[in-house]
Amino acid sequence: MVGKIPSGCRPHSEIKKINDHIQWLIEQGITCEHIGDLAAGLCDRLIATGVPIWRASIRMPSLHPMYRGVAANFERGGAIVLENAEHGSETERSFEMTPIFHLLSRGEKTGRWNLAKGEGLQYAELHEFALAGGTDHVISIFEFPKEVALRGLGFSLTSDAPGGFSDDQLAIIQELLPALGLAAYRVAVSKTATEILAVYTGARTSARILAGETRRGMGGSIDAAILLADLRNFTALTEAHQPGEIVGFLNEHFELIDRHVEENSGEILKFMGDSVLAIFPTDAENPQKACKAALASAQNLLKANEELNRERTLNGGPDIGIDVVLHLGEVFYGNVGAQGRLDFTVIGRAVNEASRLEKLCGTLEQPLLLSESFAATCAVPCDYLGAFELRGVSKRADVFRLAGAAP
């Protein structure tokens, strides 16, 4: 059964308690880092005043590309549990079988189910609570501004006390909801900005942006190992496959490149069509370390790409090779672009040279090429392939492959 949560008049002492809770929520909204802190802290405060909370949760939608929602689950006497609901039809079907979805689909903001009387047992979560001794379950929904994709939050409380929550207790909780919503909104917006920026720019770059490096031209020169990866013969694939299939192929290959770059402390700065640009900043005292990391990334991603192609071709899909170039040099790492549209990336002669070197992979029939500066610093056994002219580069480039590498 769904009903309205009651409210009413109360003595001055209760009003003071409510104001204290509101003040605490506002302070936590400014300082805390996750909605789990809000859920645990508020529930502990309410329990201390006699509200028989057994379980509670704050559920919110998410803008993260991997997750459709986030939840902070509280249990009296236990640790807060954080959950991320991934995108996908299975997750959406599961959400459609929840009491919160029931309220949203009916345009209602509050709901209450008497578990002791068998109400709400069609929902798996409430059925589980009832079997474990739950007696009362209430949900309040708080909406955020319409222009924000973070649409709002659902705050649910479960009691295991005989008779559940009193009307006065529920009225107090209802009065706390705006402050809870405001605090959760601030936490969610801050976390969303940090996470989304990291997804679009990379963890290292996003940290610099959030630290204040936002003006055009702001940045500086760094030495870095550069990894440039390009999908081979990708233009021909666009002629033979539909756009949706092409996007799927790109995502598969970019995923494995990103995985092996990140696990070696590198960072992808840019996806350029079917190419990937990543850097491994060097340590002045040990530049070889960055080169070793870049080389490990290149070798691992090429091996993983072979495995991906074997699986795909068994199902009739295309074999898509990757050409990788490793270079070492000085780059400008910072904000480049127009005043209203910036890109935090790397530019410079070394980046241009890496791009030109990549064109030689097909000519030399080698999936992995090393520049002279990279090969010398990395100090691994290499075969010299010759000196080549690069378009737009005045000096011929000495090019290497790993010793014993086959075409």
Side-chain angles (χ1 to χ4, degrees):
M1 179 187 296
V2 178
K4 292 184 178 180
I5 297 176
S7 61
C9 298
R10 55 184 54 84
H12 177 75
S13 60
E14 289 192 4
I15 294 175
K16 184 179 184 305
K17 288 180 181 178
I18 293 173
N19 289 336
D20 288 344
H21 291 323
I22 292 174
Q23 181 65 28
W24 180 87
L25 284 168
I26 293 173
E27 291 173 356
Q28 290 299 303
I30 296 172
T31 60
C32 74
E33 297 182 356
H34 201 283
I35 57 172
D37 299 332
L38 295 173
L42 180 59
C43 287
D44 285 339
R45 291 175 65 89
L46 290 173
I47 290 171
T49 63
V51 181
I53 298 173
W54 171 45
R55 292 176 178 265
S57 71
I58 297 177
R59 291 182 171 91
M60 300 179 66
S62 171
L63 287 182
H64 196 284
M66 291 177 59
Y67 309 116
R68 69 184 307 273
V70 60
N73 301 313
F74 168 88
E75 183 175 359
R76 187 179 60 230
I80 200 80
V81 177
L82 305 177
E83 294 180 350
N84 291 311
E86 296 184 357
H87 288 289
S89 56
E90 184 176 344
T91 302
E92 292 177 4
R93 284 194 297 270
S94 297
F95 179 66
E96 291 173 359
M97 299 301 295
T98 63
I100 285 184
F101 180 83
H102 172 82
L103 296 180
L104 292 172
S105 64
R106 295 163 63 97
E108 298 177 353
K109 301 292 183 62
T110 59
R112 185 177 187 181
W113 291 264
N114 189 326
L115 303 181
K117 293 183 178 181
E119 294 176 357
L121 301 189
Q122 69 271 29
Y123 304 112
E125 182 181 46
L126 301 193
H127 187 261
E128 178 184 339
F129 290 165
L131 290 177
T135 58
D136 199 4
H137 185 80
V138 296
I139 297 177
S140 298
I141 294 175
F142 185 83
E143 293 184 341
F144 295 155
K146 298 295 184 182
E147 67 272 13
V148 180
L150 297 170
R151 296 180 299 277
L153 67 82
F155 183 45
S156 65
L157 296 171
T158 308
S159 177
D160 58 355
F165 301 106
S166 71
D167 290 348
D168 285 343
Q169 289 167 345
L170 294 181
I172 290 172
I173 292 167
Q174 191 70 7
E175 290 194 32
L176 298 179
L177 194 60
L180 174 62
L182 180 63
Y185 181 72
R186 202 290 304 169
V187 173
V189 168
S190 177
K191 188 172 181 61
T192 295
T194 302
E195 290 182 343
I196 290 298
L197 192 60
V199 167
Y200 279 91
T201 68
R204 184 183 293 110
T205 300
S206 67
R208 294 183 65 155
I209 294 172
L210 291 173
E213 294 188 40
T214 57
R215 290 187 291 110
R216 183 170 60 169
M218 196 172 187
S221 294
I222 64 170
D223 290 321
I226 299 168
L227 184 151
L228 184 65
D230 183 74
L231 301 189
R232 194 180 307 134
N233 299 323
F234 201 77
T235 301
L237 286 174
T238 63
E239 299 282 340
H241 297 273
Q242 296 297 316
E245 293 179 294
I246 296 297
V247 170
F249 297 150
L250 281 172
N251 288 339
E252 288 177 334
H253 290 275
F254 287 167
E255 177 70 25
L256 69 85
I257 294 172
D258 177 65
R259 181 169 66 251
H260 293 294
V261 166
E262 282 209 351
E263 73 181 10
N264 287 287
S265 302
E267 182 169 33
I268 290 178
L269 292 184
K270 191 183 291 292
F271 294 103
M272 304 168 291
D274 58 352
S275 299
V276 177
L277 173 65
I279 63 168
F280 299 76
T282 64
D283 182 341
E285 297 180 357
N286 185 15
Q288 187 183 75
K289 181 179 179 180
C291 292
K292 293 283 190 182
L295 178 59
S297 297
Q299 292 176 304
N300 292 339
L301 73 86
L302 287 171
K303 181 179 179 181
N305 195 65
E306 291 178 0
E307 295 173 358
L308 172 60
N309 280 323
R310 275 196 295 271
E311 294 178 5
R312 187 193 292 127
T313 53
L314 286 175
N315 296 316
D319 185 309
I320 305 174
I322 296 180
D323 292 329
V324 181
V325 162
L326 298 174
H327 189 26
L328 178 69
E330 183 182 33
V331 296
F332 174 84
Y333 179 41
N335 287 291
V336 180
Q339 289 186 358
R341 179 63 176 86
L342 294 172
D343 190 9
F344 204 110
T345 187
V346 289
I347 62 168
R349 187 177 67 183
V351 178
N352 182 56
E353 290 170 349
S355 177
R356 300 293 185 252
L357 285 168
E358 187 277 322
K359 307 303 180 187
L360 293 175
C361 288
T363 303
L364 300 174
E365 296 183 337
Q366 293 292 329
L368 176 59
L369 294 179
L370 286 60
S371 72
E372 179 184 18
S373 59
F374 186 95
T377 303
C378 196
V380 293
C382 291
D383 295 331
Y384 178 61
L385 299 178
F388 297 87
E389 290 187 356
L390 305 179
R391 185 168 62 87
V393 179
S394 58
K395 182 183 177 181
R396 291 170 68 88
D398 290 325
V399 180
F400 299 78
R401 70 178 183 184
L402 292 178

